[in-house]
Amino acid sequence: MSDERPAQEGPATFRDVFGQPEFRALFAANILSWVGDYLAKAAVTVLVLRETESVALSAAAFAVSYLPWLLGGPLLSALAERHRYRRVMVICDLIRMALMVLVAMPFMPAWSVLALIFLATLANPPSQAARSAVMPQILTGDRLVVGLSAFTSASQAAQVVGYLIGATIAALNPNAALLVNAATFALSALLVRVGVRDRPSTMTAKHRSHLLRETGQGFRIVFERPVLRAIAMLVFSAMLFSIVPEGLAAGWAAERTDGTMDAGTAQAVIMAAGPVGYVLGGVIIGRLIAPARRLALMRPLMVIAPAVLVPALLDPAPSVVALLAAACGFAVAGLVPVANGLFVQALPDGYRARAFGVMATGTQVIQGAAVLATGALAERFSVPSVVGAWSAAGVLLMLVAAFAWPRPRTIDAAIAAARAESAPDAAAPTHAARGPAAGDRGREHGRRRHAVT
């Protein structure tokens, strides 16, 4: 499928996107995987708590699913770049299916459950990296942006659905919930195998080197190219403050209730508000706003996203907190899918999976660090004060990001350069690993200057 797009392009619709059979198959497979992941998190925490009666081990069972991204996300994503993307996704689903069946066995001790969960989640980075790399081969232009918006909105909805289903089934039989999770991976593998075309890896011989060097190239291509670096900084900054209401929801609900809901309900409402706002924002902005308008809205949305959380300083009731968190999620949904669409278009073939690993790992680390930092501050100050002050700092950070955001012509030039590098007869893009060649330094300097104006 050609990567070319028309010079003047109208807004893509969900009908355009879901009219692609491959996208439908990939979308359905990922929905199943996501629901299964969150279902398993809810079930495993219950299972470990029942087996050990230890809240600490139960929390560890929840947290262990994030370790693969922290310990080997970029490396595993680089490994996925070497192989056919459909094969990677299918194998990862089958591995997770088999391991989750083992976790569900009633004779498994708690330490074995934790080890198997860790092994199962090692398949997440290569699977998601392969999906990210194949998406631009299925959708192009604004269809890609709308498709990414559909994916990110669906992931938020899958989180809510997975937790609800997992908690409900796990209350009766956590082992049964884990078997349901294994079945979702089996169906996901089948959908990808049947519905997605088998394409060769875009990593050709000219990209191949040592695996660690390839991983390092993923970091360099993200942070050495001005447009990609600006997008990465925007996404990381958005994650730094948007996760905080969800992460501190339990403490917030314990400190403040409005008389209409108990602490548990208040916590659930606050935690769900961000994902709900994100889903609404993804649907409304992705569907109703034209591509050029979405790009123009990025700068104001950068500032609005953290600014709507600043009123937390006034210590509002949990219902108002939920509205603030939903508004933040709505604004972030206007930023991240558009930024992701630009990001994958500005990446040359052969680097998409590795760059995804860098971005996903950074997102996980930043979200975890933000929750840990604000949680530590909340030990000394009230939660509303911490969230409001943290968000005010986010406004300043986003003002810097908005000022540094590249001009449209700079972004267009980066996308055109990526397409030129991806052409079959293009020379090996060695500058991704070693920096610009001597003859290109003047042009690279010019691009960097424009990127920060």
Side-chain angles (χ1 to χ4, degrees):
M1 183 178 292
S2 172
D3 286 337
E4 294 300 321
R5 65 176 182 177
Q8 297 296 326
E9 185 180 64
T13 65
F14 287 114
R15 178 178 296 181
D16 295 331
V17 170
F18 285 96
Q20 298 282 344
E22 284 190 282
F23 178 82
R24 290 199 303 270
L26 195 61
F27 183 84
N30 276 269
I31 289 293
L32 285 168
S33 294
W34 285 329
V35 170
D37 280 340
Y38 293 116
L39 187 153
K41 286 182 181 180
V44 166
T45 54
V46 173
L47 181 65
V48 172
L49 185 61
R50 287 186 181 179
E51 292 290 328
T52 66
E53 298 183 353
S54 168
V55 175
L57 284 176
S58 178
F62 182 89
V64 74
S65 62
Y66 292 98
L67 285 178
W69 285 110
L70 303 180
L71 300 180
L75 187 68
L76 292 168
S77 299
L79 184 64
E81 194 93 75
R82 292 183 167 195
H83 303 284
R84 303 175 84 89
Y85 299 134
R86 188 182 74 175
R87 182 181 301 170
V88 170
M89 290 185 283
V90 170
I91 290 175
C92 287
D93 277 341
L94 293 177
I95 289 173
R96 289 183 286 189
M97 177 198 70
L99 291 173
M100 293 314 297
V101 169
L102 289 176
V103 173
M105 294 297 99
F107 54 79
M108 283 291 172
W111 67 266
S112 296
V113 170
L114 294 177
L116 289 171
I117 289 294
F118 175 77
L119 291 175
T121 51
L122 281 174
N124 287 351
S127 177
Q128 293 184 35
R131 188 263 296 172
S132 177
V134 83
M135 276 283 286
Q137 298 177 341
I138 297 174
L139 301 174
T140 58
D142 193 52
R143 288 180 176 85
L144 176 62
V145 176
V146 174
L148 290 170
S149 177
F151 262 101
T152 51
S153 296
S155 71
Q156 300 293 314
Q159 179 176 349
V160 177
V161 173
Y163 281 153
L164 289 176
I165 295 176
T168 301
I169 301 177
L172 302 173
N173 188 336
N175 300 91
L178 292 167
L179 289 176
V180 172
N181 180 35
T184 65
F185 288 127
L187 289 174
S188 174
L190 180 62
L191 284 169
V192 172
R193 178 63 180 80
V194 173
V196 177
R197 186 154 58 90
D198 188 23
R199 297 174 175 85
S201 169
T202 55
M203 175 179 276
T204 60
K206 69 186 180 185
H207 300 107
R208 185 68 66 87
S209 61
H210 189 277
L211 184 60
L212 290 176
R213 181 177 297 173
E214 292 168 11
T215 304
Q217 288 171 356
F219 280 93
R220 283 192 288 273
I221 199 168
V222 170
F223 292 108
E224 287 185 355
R225 300 197 176 196
V227 169
L228 297 180
R229 183 172 62 244
I231 295 171
M233 292 301 99
L234 167 62
V235 173
F236 293 159
S237 298
M239 296 301 103
L240 191 62
F241 58 81
S242 61
I243 191 64
V244 172
E246 183 178 342
L248 299 185
W252 210 334
E255 284 188 12
R256 178 80 151 83
T257 60
D258 58 4
T260 62
M261 60 182 77
D262 57 28
T265 303
Q267 176 186 350
V269 168
I270 295 172
M271 291 188 74
V276 169
Y278 196 101
V279 171
L280 292 175
V283 171
I284 294 173
I285 296 175
R287 175 65 183 87
L288 301 180
I289 307 298
R293 178 68 64 182
R294 289 198 295 266
L295 289 172
L297 285 174
M298 289 192 72
R299 275 194 169 98
L301 285 175
M302 290 180 198
V303 180
I304 291 172
V308 296
L309 293 175
V310 175
L313 286 167
L314 302 177
D315 192 16
S319 55
V320 178
V321 172
L323 290 175
L324 298 178
C328 177
F330 189 98
V332 171
L335 292 171
V336 174
V338 178
N340 286 344
L342 296 174
F343 189 85
V344 297
Q345 292 180 79
L347 277 169
D349 288 346
Y351 293 98
R352 284 177 177 144
R354 283 176 282 175
F356 172 85
V358 172
M359 293 296 293
T361 300
T363 297
Q364 296 285 336
V365 171
I366 285 172
Q367 286 182 319
V371 172
L372 288 174
T374 53
L377 289 171
E379 290 291 322
R380 299 188 59 185
F381 308 98
S382 70
V383 173
S385 298
V386 171
V387 175
W390 188 270
S391 302
V395 172
L396 297 177
L397 181 63
M398 282 304 210
L399 283 171
V400 174
F403 179 77
W405 187 247
R407 294 179 179 179
R409 68 168 181 264
T410 307
I411 296 173
D412 290 340
I415 293 173
R419 288 176 179 164
E421 287 186 33
S422 301
D425 57 348
T430 54
H431 63 277
R434 298 193 301 266
D440 291 338
R441 285 173 184 158
R443 291 191 295 275
E444 183 72 14
H445 174 75
R447 286 198 295 271
R448 288 180 179 170
R449 181 184 55 190
H450 289 307
V452 296
T453 55

